[in-house]
Amino acid sequence: MTSTGKAIAHPNIALAKYWGKRPYGKNLPAVPSLSITLAGMATHTTVTLDDALTEDALSLDGEATTGRPLTRVTEMLDRVHTGAGPRPRARVASHNDFPTAAGLASSASAFAALAVAANAALDAGRTVAELSDLARQVSASSGRSLFGGFVVLPAGEEGRAQLPAEPLAPADHWDLRLVVAVTTEGKKAVGSTEGMIRTAETSPLYQGWLDGAPPIFDTIRGAVLDRDLDRLGPAVEQSALAMHATAMAADPGLLYWNGVTLEVLHAVRRLRASGTAAYFTIDAGPHVKVLCRASDCPKVVVALAQVRGVQRTIEARPGGGARLVEATEDAT
Ligand code: DP6
């Protein structure tokens, strides 16, 4: 039996945001989303089966970790397991080669890498689509990191339990850049899962978000396929602003931005007014990600770095999906 699997996966940034879950369980998204999987940054995960263990063990960036992260890892391993009988316990070691506080959700790449590594270690024989569906059940955005390039995660439908993400176009379809403006080194206050549940339960704008997100998604999908940045950009900004407006109207209101966030949004609009096609998006945190053409990237980096309070910028481009790096057989 294969006992060790090593995999890597990249973070992804949604151009059309997922925010909110269907009310019938299984972590099904309430709206369709579309993301770019990013090259250059990765989570590296090793899963080693160990019969001597009575429960799974997790090490994150070299530190033994328990609590919710370990529970989610155990959940993922249980889901991937296909063999008869009890699942062997595993030692899971994961590290990010990018700073976790950089505003690039590390959970997406983490669960995608874990799914692929676990599939090899457990010899589960699952397809990429199955792994995407399983990762999506643990954290929806991670289902998208199984695939490279431009990726769609449809909204969930009642009676349909399985929902993998779907590749829309490969990384080389369009040489775009995403520049991350890091606005603080601190951690975010309210996680996405909790934030979107609170929004659904208490925001009077939530129904408007549910009605408005699908047409915005359609525009984004069409503009990506046509490589039309002038059509894509405004819809990307609208998706992010609609998500944040809905979350801000929750009780208590979710305020993911800081003052620098807002300054960066204005800087992006000024760039555009002066003729550079640059468009922002913001996730459940204070950092801003700016979409632009590769040729405009140096100009965008300079403009963002000049905004007072911006700590640093990170450039990213479309990259590949999660992949297995190594699988080894147990000698015993
Ligand atoms: C703002 O995928 O982290 O980044 O399914 O509850 O784990 P769970 O949520 P998660 O939410 C991501 C929200 C977002 C938008 C997006 O990536 O589409």
Side-chain angles (χ1 to χ4, degrees):
M1 185 175 66
T2 304
S3 67
T4 300
K6 283 188 190 181
I8 68 166
H10 304 288
N12 71 75
I13 297 291
L15 303 181
K17 300 296 184 198
Y18 146 59
W19 194 254
K21 300 164 193 293
R22 290 289 196 214
Y24 20 84
K26 292 255 176 200
N27 202 36
L28 292 163
V31 296
S33 57
L34 188 155
S35 59
I36 305 184
T37 304
L38 303 176
M41 290 160 275
T43 299
H44 303 246
T45 300
T46 305
V47 174
T48 307
L49 304 185
D50 187 342
D51 291 333
L53 294 174
T54 51
E55 53 187 53
D56 301 317
L58 172 65
S59 131
L60 286 180
D61 288 319
E63 277 197 31
T65 307
T66 55
R68 183 154 156 78
L70 176 60
T71 312
R72 284 179 120 186
V73 163
T74 293
E75 213 181 304
M76 188 75 226
L77 294 167
D78 288 345
R79 286 178 203 278
V80 172
H81 181 54
T82 46
R87 171 179 67 78
R89 300 293 112 181
R91 208 176 287 286
V92 176
S94 187
H95 82 270
N96 293 320
D97 62 15
F98 57 98
T100 17
L104 296 155
S106 52
S107 64
S109 46
F111 289 113
L114 177 61
V116 173
N119 187 45
L122 291 163
D123 206 11
R126 293 196 178 269
T127 64
V128 185
E130 283 178 309
L131 294 174
S132 169
D133 175 52
L134 298 173
R136 191 269 310 154
Q137 291 179 40
V138 178
S139 184
S141 56
S142 72
R144 298 187 307 235
S145 274
L146 266 299
F147 299 101
F150 299 82
V151 183
V152 164
L153 179 61
E157 289 165 24
E158 191 156 20
R160 183 182 165 193
Q162 279 167 357
L163 186 77
E166 299 158 5
L168 179 71
D172 63 5
H173 167 71
W174 197 2
D175 194 23
L176 286 174
R177 292 290 180 276
L178 264 174
V179 183
V180 185
V182 178
T183 63
T184 169
E185 300 293 351
K187 286 200 94 180
K188 69 184 171 197
V190 182
S192 314
T193 307
E194 190 189 335
M196 66 178 80
I197 290 171
R198 188 192 300 173
T199 304
E201 285 174 352
T202 65
S203 174
L205 305 187
Y206 187 60
Q207 191 55 49
W209 162 251
L210 295 182
D211 296 340
I216 299 173
F217 165 85
D218 288 341
T219 301
I220 289 173
R221 186 178 179 282
V224 164
L225 288 174
D226 294 347
R227 298 189 196 88
D228 184 345
L229 187 57
D230 296 335
R231 186 149 54 96
L232 175 65
V236 167
E237 290 196 354
Q238 192 183 17
S239 175
L241 291 175
M243 177 201 124
H244 281 272
T246 310
M248 281 179 198
D251 181 20
L254 290 152
L255 265 183
Y256 285 110
W257 305 359
N258 58 34
V260 184
T261 312
L262 200 50
E263 291 302 333
V264 174
L265 304 192
H266 286 297
V268 171
R269 294 250 164 125
R270 277 196 301 275
L271 260 174
R272 223 151 65 224
S274 68
T276 303
Y279 300 90
F280 60 75
T281 185
I282 322 155
D283 291 301
H287 312 291
V288 184
K289 290 105 187 186
V290 182
L291 190 67
C292 63
R293 293 191 175 91
S295 54
D296 286 331
C297 190
K299 213 188 302 178
V300 170
V301 168
V302 169
L304 297 181
Q306 275 170 358
V307 177
R308 239 177 97 187
V310 167
Q311 314 281 313
R312 62 209 155 92
T313 57
I314 301 165
E315 293 173 43
R317 64 181 71 197
R323 64 187 166 87
L324 189 66
V325 180
E326 198 183 311
T328 47
E329 295 275 322
D330 196 340
T332 54

